[in-house]
mmCIF file of all heavy atoms in Angstrom:
data_model
loop_
_atom_site.group_PDB
_atom_site.id
_atom_site.type_symbol
_atom_site.label_atom_id
_atom_site.label_comp_id
_atom_site.label_asym_id
_atom_site.label_seq_id
_atom_site.Cartn_x
_atom_site.Cartn_y
_atom_site.Cartn_z
ATOM 1 N N ASP U 144 -23.239 -31.547 33.140
ATOM 2 C CA ASP U 144 -23.256 -32.990 33.403
ATOM 3 C C ASP U 144 -24.710 -33.451 33.079
ATOM 4 O O ASP U 144 -25.696 -32.966 33.703
ATOM 5 C CB ASP U 144 -22.928 -33.298 34.911
ATOM 6 C CG ASP U 144 -21.525 -32.858 35.244
ATOM 7 O OD1 ASP U 144 -20.683 -33.084 34.291
ATOM 8 O OD2 ASP U 144 -21.268 -32.399 36.256
ATOM 9 N N ALA U 146 -28.161 -34.852 33.140
ATOM 10 C CA ALA U 146 -29.001 -35.372 34.224
ATOM 11 C C ALA U 146 -30.120 -36.205 33.750
ATOM 12 O O ALA U 146 -30.874 -35.801 32.857
ATOM 13 C CB ALA U 146 -29.667 -34.082 34.968
ATOM 14 N N ALA U 148 -32.132 -37.863 35.852
ATOM 15 C CA ALA U 148 -33.201 -37.548 36.788
ATOM 16 C C ALA U 148 -32.844 -36.398 37.647
ATOM 17 O O ALA U 148 -31.616 -36.171 37.999
ATOM 18 C CB ALA U 148 -33.533 -38.843 37.620
ATOM 19 N N GLY U 149 -33.706 -35.553 37.958
ATOM 20 C CA GLY U 149 -33.489 -34.437 38.789
ATOM 21 C C GLY U 149 -32.558 -33.420 38.100
ATOM 22 O O GLY U 149 -32.727 -33.124 36.900
ATOM 23 N N ALA U 150 -31.500 -32.980 38.815
ATOM 24 C CA ALA U 150 -30.609 -31.976 38.245
ATOM 25 C C ALA U 150 -29.260 -32.119 38.633
ATOM 26 O O ALA U 150 -28.923 -32.794 39.697
ATOM 27 C CB ALA U 150 -31.112 -30.542 38.645
ATOM 28 N N ALA U 151 -28.345 -31.654 37.893
ATOM 29 C CA ALA U 151 -26.897 -31.646 38.193
ATOM 30 C C ALA U 151 -26.308 -30.213 38.109
ATOM 31 O O ALA U 151 -26.570 -29.522 37.154
ATOM 32 C CB ALA U 151 -26.125 -32.505 37.204
ATOM 33 N N ILE U 169 -26.226 -25.598 35.249
ATOM 34 C CA ILE U 169 -27.210 -26.548 35.844
ATOM 35 C C ILE U 169 -27.855 -27.272 34.756
ATOM 36 O O ILE U 169 -28.292 -26.661 33.680
ATOM 37 C CB ILE U 169 -28.183 -25.857 36.751
ATOM 38 C CG1 ILE U 169 -29.135 -26.882 37.376
ATOM 39 C CG2 ILE U 169 -28.986 -24.764 36.027
ATOM 40 C CD1 ILE U 169 -30.026 -26.375 38.492
ATOM 41 N N SER U 170 -28.063 -28.605 34.778
ATOM 42 C CA SER U 170 -28.730 -29.378 33.857
ATOM 43 C C SER U 170 -29.950 -30.060 34.571
ATOM 44 O O SER U 170 -29.769 -30.634 35.643
ATOM 45 C CB SER U 170 -27.836 -30.511 33.234
ATOM 46 O OG SER U 170 -26.795 -29.952 32.494
ATOM 47 N N VAL U 171 -31.078 -29.964 33.992
ATOM 48 C CA VAL U 171 -32.261 -30.543 34.510
ATOM 49 C C VAL U 171 -32.897 -31.572 33.573
ATOM 50 O O VAL U 171 -32.941 -31.255 32.339
ATOM 51 C CB VAL U 171 -33.421 -29.455 34.822
ATOM 52 C CG1 VAL U 171 -34.593 -30.072 35.472
ATOM 53 C CG2 VAL U 171 -32.812 -28.339 35.644
ATOM 54 N N ALA U 172 -33.143 -32.802 34.133
ATOM 55 C CA ALA U 172 -33.651 -33.818 33.251
ATOM 56 C C ALA U 172 -35.024 -33.533 32.608
ATOM 57 O O ALA U 172 -35.762 -32.606 33.139
ATOM 58 C CB ALA U 172 -33.751 -35.097 34.104
ATOM 59 N N PRO U 173 -35.344 -34.106 31.487
ATOM 60 C CA PRO U 173 -36.528 -33.888 30.856
ATOM 61 C C PRO U 173 -37.799 -33.942 31.748
ATOM 62 O O PRO U 173 -37.866 -34.866 32.548
ATOM 63 C CB PRO U 173 -36.642 -34.892 29.651
ATOM 64 C CG PRO U 173 -35.155 -35.152 29.380
ATOM 65 C CD PRO U 173 -34.501 -35.126 30.733
ATOM 66 N N ASN U 174 -38.679 -32.943 31.702
ATOM 67 C CA ASN U 174 -39.887 -33.017 32.488
ATOM 68 C C ASN U 174 -39.694 -33.006 33.978
ATOM 69 O O ASN U 174 -40.641 -33.476 34.709
ATOM 70 C CB ASN U 174 -40.848 -34.113 32.025
ATOM 71 C CG ASN U 174 -41.155 -33.979 30.497
ATOM 72 O OD1 ASN U 174 -41.547 -32.984 30.003
ATOM 73 N ND2 ASN U 174 -41.028 -35.197 29.771
ATOM 74 N N SER U 175 -38.543 -32.611 34.431
ATOM 75 C CA SER U 175 -38.236 -32.725 35.888
ATOM 76 C C SER U 175 -38.207 -31.264 36.405
ATOM 77 O O SER U 175 -38.207 -30.228 35.656
ATOM 78 C CB SER U 175 -36.832 -33.325 36.031
ATOM 79 O OG SER U 175 -36.862 -34.659 35.702
ATOM 80 N N LYS U 176 -38.049 -31.119 37.689
ATOM 81 C CA LYS U 176 -38.094 -29.821 38.356
ATOM 82 C C LYS U 176 -36.833 -29.697 39.319
ATOM 83 O O LYS U 176 -36.367 -30.770 39.766
ATOM 84 C CB LYS U 176 -39.299 -29.678 39.331
ATOM 85 C CG LYS U 176 -40.641 -29.615 38.458
ATOM 86 C CD LYS U 176 -41.764 -29.470 39.442
ATOM 87 C CE LYS U 176 -43.031 -29.499 38.701
ATOM 88 N NZ LYS U 176 -44.258 -29.295 39.717
ATOM 89 N N ALA U 177 -36.342 -28.540 39.415
ATOM 90 C CA ALA U 177 -35.175 -28.259 40.335
ATOM 91 C C ALA U 177 -35.196 -26.760 40.827
ATOM 92 O O ALA U 177 -35.760 -25.945 40.045
ATOM 93 C CB ALA U 177 -33.795 -28.587 39.750
ATOM 94 N N ARG U 194 -29.901 -24.620 26.363
ATOM 95 C CA ARG U 194 -30.239 -25.767 25.655
ATOM 96 C C ARG U 194 -31.569 -26.250 26.198
ATOM 97 O O ARG U 194 -31.819 -26.065 27.420
ATOM 98 C CB ARG U 194 -29.182 -26.949 25.785
ATOM 99 C CG ARG U 194 -29.550 -28.197 24.836
ATOM 100 C CD ARG U 194 -28.854 -29.344 25.379
ATOM 101 N NE ARG U 194 -29.121 -29.805 26.663
ATOM 102 C CZ ARG U 194 -30.242 -30.498 27.030
ATOM 103 N NH1 ARG U 194 -31.065 -30.924 26.081
ATOM 104 N NH2 ARG U 194 -30.463 -30.874 28.297
ATOM 105 N N LEU U 221 -37.075 -24.340 38.447
ATOM 106 C CA LEU U 221 -36.774 -24.677 37.026
ATOM 107 C C LEU U 221 -37.591 -25.871 36.652
ATOM 108 O O LEU U 221 -37.321 -26.945 37.105
ATOM 109 C CB LEU U 221 -35.226 -24.906 36.920
ATOM 110 C CG LEU U 221 -34.354 -23.699 37.315
ATOM 111 C CD1 LEU U 221 -32.898 -24.155 37.155
ATOM 112 C CD2 LEU U 221 -34.641 -22.486 36.598
ATOM 113 N N VAL U 222 -38.407 -25.689 35.806
ATOM 114 C CA VAL U 222 -39.270 -26.804 35.176
ATOM 115 C C VAL U 222 -38.926 -27.067 33.765
ATOM 116 O O VAL U 222 -38.976 -26.194 32.924
ATOM 117 C CB VAL U 222 -40.774 -26.501 35.235
ATOM 118 C CG1 VAL U 222 -41.612 -27.668 34.805
ATOM 119 C CG2 VAL U 222 -41.214 -26.113 36.707
ATOM 120 N N ALA U 223 -38.256 -28.114 33.551
ATOM 121 C CA ALA U 223 -37.661 -28.455 32.219
ATOM 122 C C ALA U 223 -38.799 -28.918 31.293
ATOM 123 O O ALA U 223 -39.586 -29.644 31.723
ATOM 124 C CB ALA U 223 -36.471 -29.474 32.409
ATOM 125 N N GLY U 224 -38.526 -28.654 30.046
ATOM 126 C CA GLY U 224 -39.468 -29.187 28.973
ATOM 127 C C GLY U 224 -39.117 -30.577 28.591
ATOM 128 O O GLY U 224 -38.276 -31.306 29.295
ATOM 129 N N GLU U 226 -37.193 -31.765 26.413
ATOM 130 C CA GLU U 226 -35.850 -32.126 26.067
ATOM 131 C C GLU U 226 -34.885 -31.856 27.243
ATOM 132 O O GLU U 226 -33.662 -31.898 27.089
ATOM 133 C CB GLU U 226 -35.498 -31.206 24.912
ATOM 134 C CG GLU U 226 -36.224 -31.505 23.595
ATOM 135 C CD GLU U 226 -35.825 -30.628 22.417
ATOM 136 O OE1 GLU U 226 -34.872 -29.838 22.527
ATOM 137 O OE2 GLU U 226 -36.463 -30.781 21.319
ATOM 138 N N GLY U 227 -35.491 -31.503 28.400
ATOM 139 C CA GLY U 227 -34.569 -31.063 29.465
ATOM 140 C C GLY U 227 -34.131 -29.630 29.325
ATOM 141 O O GLY U 227 -34.553 -28.903 28.381
ATOM 142 N N LEU U 228 -33.192 -29.269 30.076
ATOM 143 C CA LEU U 228 -32.615 -27.876 29.965
ATOM 144 C C LEU U 228 -31.172 -27.759 30.521
ATOM 145 O O LEU U 228 -30.868 -28.422 31.520
ATOM 146 C CB LEU U 228 -33.596 -26.790 30.501
ATOM 147 C CG LEU U 228 -33.585 -26.537 32.036
ATOM 148 C CD1 LEU U 228 -32.494 -25.729 32.589
ATOM 149 C CD2 LEU U 228 -34.938 -25.919 32.361
ATOM 150 N N ASP U 229 -30.412 -27.022 29.918
ATOM 151 C CA ASP U 229 -29.126 -26.527 30.353
ATOM 152 C C ASP U 229 -29.218 -25.064 30.585
ATOM 153 O O ASP U 229 -29.613 -24.344 29.681
ATOM 154 C CB ASP U 229 -27.972 -26.850 29.454
ATOM 155 C CG ASP U 229 -27.654 -28.374 29.344
ATOM 156 O OD1 ASP U 229 -28.089 -29.138 30.172
ATOM 157 O OD2 ASP U 229 -26.982 -28.754 28.399
ATOM 158 N N ALA U 230 -28.733 -24.619 31.727
ATOM 159 C CA ALA U 230 -28.879 -23.190 32.034
ATOM 160 C C ALA U 230 -27.519 -22.682 32.721
ATOM 161 O O ALA U 230 -26.900 -23.433 33.440
ATOM 162 C CB ALA U 230 -30.093 -22.903 32.942
#
Side-chain angles (χ1 to χ4, degrees):
D144 298 320
I169 182 168
S170 296
V171 184
N174 303 311
S175 296
K176 298 179 181 180
R194 187 197 64 80
L221 303 179
V222 180
E226 296 180 3
L228 74 83
D229 288 345

